[in-house]
Amino acid sequence: MHIKARRLYSLFLLLLCFTLLVSACGSASAPAASASSAAASTTVAPESESAAASETPAPVAKEKLHFTWYVHYDWATYMTPWGEDPVSKWMDENKNVEIEWIMSGGSAQSKLSTMIASGELPDAMTLDRGAELESLISQGILVPLDDYYGKYPYFQKYGAAKLVNALRSSTDQKWYGMPSWYTNEQYPLGNHGFVVDKKLYDAAGRPELKTLDQVYDYLKQVKAAHPDVTPMLIEDFSIFTSVFGEGRVRDLIWMAASTKGGQLVSALDDPEFTEAVLWANKLYREGLLSAEDFANTAEQRDEKFANGKVPFSVPGDCGNGLKKRHDAYRAVDPAGGYEVISSPVKSGLDKSKVTVSSYATVGWNVTTITQSAKEPERIYEFLDWLTGEEGQAISLYGPQGTYWDNWIDFEGMKMIDLDQPKFKDRNKEEFDKMRNGFTFNWVPNGIWQSVESWYNYKLSPPAAGEFPGQDYIRISRSEAVATDEYAGIEPDPTTAEGIAFSSIKETFNKTWMQAILAKTEAEAKALLEKGKADVDKIGMPGVMKLLNENHAKRLELMNR
């Protein structure tokens, strides 16, 4: 199934989409704090002259800092050579830093194994949190960052001690990696939900879709009016299962798990999960859900969205991914478009207790420093600056004086003043080329980016027909839950439990998909029962015991 790989790739695409954001473009987010108007933001003088620039860059070292940096993904095969784009050239000259990229060559695991075996490790390395990171820590390959945290201002300002605790290693309780897309509960990140074809929904009179029963009636109505279209498309089944119970955590489905009474249990022992599968099977048997959508590639599903053949859906990405589909649809039919709605739930549930989206305050991956680094603290100092307001702003908009001149204060954070002729009258082709050339911001600050995109949105809200990004963010993030407590609790893949876990997940995913496509409800139930017996035989009880033990340790570590 390669589900995890597809999820990681989707996250990478999301990272690139955020990095390439020029204006609101529907991606702006309203922070939980009250927002003052952009017009009321205070404009201050350029950095060199401003007392309002509270974050003073660390002094430039006399000797240039040169270090190697490896990004541990198969798809990380190219980074713009340092100094060949305006941003890295500025950093080279003004921060006295030179980075030499090490590429994976399309085979990250082989590349890392070779570097470890030869003893020729990079100075810095970006990789996922989890078992592989813990393995590197246990081998003594990485440098703990705890001693640096209190010495430098930027990550300390945004990454509170609670966040650092959530990032600590289960191996030795130390902190080893600067996170990407980290945030907090005030600025939740979420991009999951339910979507309607706005054109068809408007034509149907915009019926209320608060419950799954109402969704069922709407799907039948659409099918009657458009018999050549299959009304429902489920792209992310974990989101779909979330609306069948209160307090569900969608991420756990990828572990073949659910929660019951504060404990992790097999999803195949969860009545709410079973109900979700059987409801989807009912839709399939009645021609409201298509088997081909489960087999189609992402590109084939994109084509269906672009041609207006998806009346109601649960996509994997309600953010930039949906925006692209919205724009493609409107290019074919100017009256078309997609709209994120408040998620419908099973009748009788308390909607305020249902969460369909998830995020981790610890973000996506981490950038670590290895024992091979000659100057580990200076590398940390640079990463700390890069994740701060100045580093983030210059990464997005280029060096001061090129496309912008002044800083402003917005929501208590330093932002670039985009409401000025130099930026508004920029050569967009050159600006986009500059952005596309800078490929290495691997420590994006989710808190600053959220406020920056809200500022951007207030300057230029979407015109009529454009993707209503602010609406999607308001809905999706109001239905989101933080899942830090479950991060990294999976067993080491090299252990007996880890090997069993891999087989369990493969069997589990095969089971629910086959059950959805069963010809009768009785057959669907039988397939679920068989799947339960199969995963138990592989070792599900022992895996669940280990997951619960690791979860308890994780909570203890986070609350230290």
Side-chain angles (χ1 to χ4, degrees), residues 180 430 475 503 535 547 560:
S180 67
E430 291 183 0
I475 293 169
S503 182
V535 298
L547 288 177
R560 57 181 287 173

Side-chain angles (χ1 to χ4, degrees), residues 502-545:
S502 178
S503 182
I504 284 168
K505 289 187 292 182
E506 183 177 346
T507 302
F508 168 72
N509 289 321
K510 180 180 178 181
T511 294
W512 63 256
M513 189 172 294
Q514 288 181 335
I516 288 175
L517 303 180
K519 295 179 180 179
T520 66
E521 182 176 301
E523 182 187 350
K525 289 180 178 179
L527 285 166
L528 290 173
E529 284 297 320
K530 180 180 183 302
K532 174 180 166 11
D534 288 344
V535 298
D536 285 350
K537 185 177 180 180
I538 295 170
M540 178 64 98
V543 168
M544 280 298 138
K545 180 176 182 293

